[in-house]
Amino acid sequence: MEKFSRKQLIMIGAAAMIVAAALGICFYYMPANRIARQLELGYRYLENEQYVEAVVAFEKAIEIDAKQVPAYLGEAAAYAAMENYPNAVAVLERGYGQKPDTELENRLAEVCQEAAQYYYGRGEYDMAEEFLSRIPEALRDERYSALEQEIRIGR
């Protein structure tokens, strides 16, 4: 068996460290890992009521993979928490367009209903009706009908 010189062992060790570092960097920058980090960051921002920062984090996840349902849901939650319902609904509709998903569709109906109630409470009946009209037809239930009637009566 051949013995390696000290210099050769150092070179082999250095090469192994370079390969390990390169693999680590590749793993760190894999899209799935980048998405997971952005989602985690977005959830942390949501939890701390840092909604603008949450929007940015979730949007970065969407830029990495436009079919990330949790990112659309998180971004919409941040917008809804800021009572920015037009953007919340737009994000959910964009997400549904990228990946038709029951969870996105259900959340879209919920946010549209929240928005309609919000604007109805402020006396902005046209806006309330606009959001009600954006609820997917299949998800319109008795709450939708009751709110629609309430808006018509309130005018």
Side-chain angles (χ1 to χ4, degrees):
M1 184 164 150
E2 182 182 329
K3 279 194 159 192
F4 293 103
S5 70
R6 180 175 168 91
K7 186 176 180 181
Q8 288 174 319
L9 288 173
I10 290 172
M11 295 295 283
I12 291 170
M17 288 176 62
I18 290 170
V19 168
L23 288 173
I25 289 170
C26 288
F27 181 76
Y28 182 81
Y29 285 103
M30 286 177 61
N33 292 331
R34 290 174 40 221
I35 291 167
R37 284 192 305 277
Q38 287 304 134
L39 290 175
E40 183 181 326
L41 185 60
Y43 294 137
R44 195 172 329 122
Y45 284 137
L46 270 179
E47 189 176 298
N48 293 323
E49 298 178 1
Q50 296 173 281
Y51 302 122
V52 173
E53 293 84 351
V55 165
V56 171
F58 289 123
E59 195 57 42
K60 284 182 181 178
I62 292 167
E63 287 172 12
I64 297 166
D65 180 0
K67 297 189 184 302
Q68 281 297 313
V69 171
Y72 290 105
L73 293 170
E75 187 173 346
Y79 278 126
M82 293 186 285
E83 296 178 338
N84 186 337
Y85 293 108
N87 282 353
V89 169
V91 165
L92 292 167
E93 289 175 336
R94 182 170 46 115
Y96 191 78
Q98 286 292 322
K99 183 175 182 182
D101 179 87
T102 304
E103 195 172 2
L104 283 171
E105 188 177 43
N106 289 336
R107 187 63 185 133
L108 174 61
E110 291 168 2
V111 171
C112 284
Q113 193 145 2
E114 287 172 28
Q117 289 170 327
Y118 172 79
Y119 287 110
Y120 173 74
R122 295 177 55 163
E124 297 179 43
Y125 303 116
D126 289 340
M127 287 294 287
E129 283 183 333
E130 163 66 23
F131 282 101
L132 274 184
S133 73
R134 292 168 86 171
I135 295 175
E137 194 73 38
L139 298 177
R140 296 180 182 185
D141 58 15
E142 62 277 349
R143 291 175 297 163
Y144 165 85
S145 300
L147 186 55
E148 184 180 43
Q149 287 292 85
E150 206 173 312
I151 290 169
R152 286 190 181 144
I153 292 169
R155 287 184 157 243

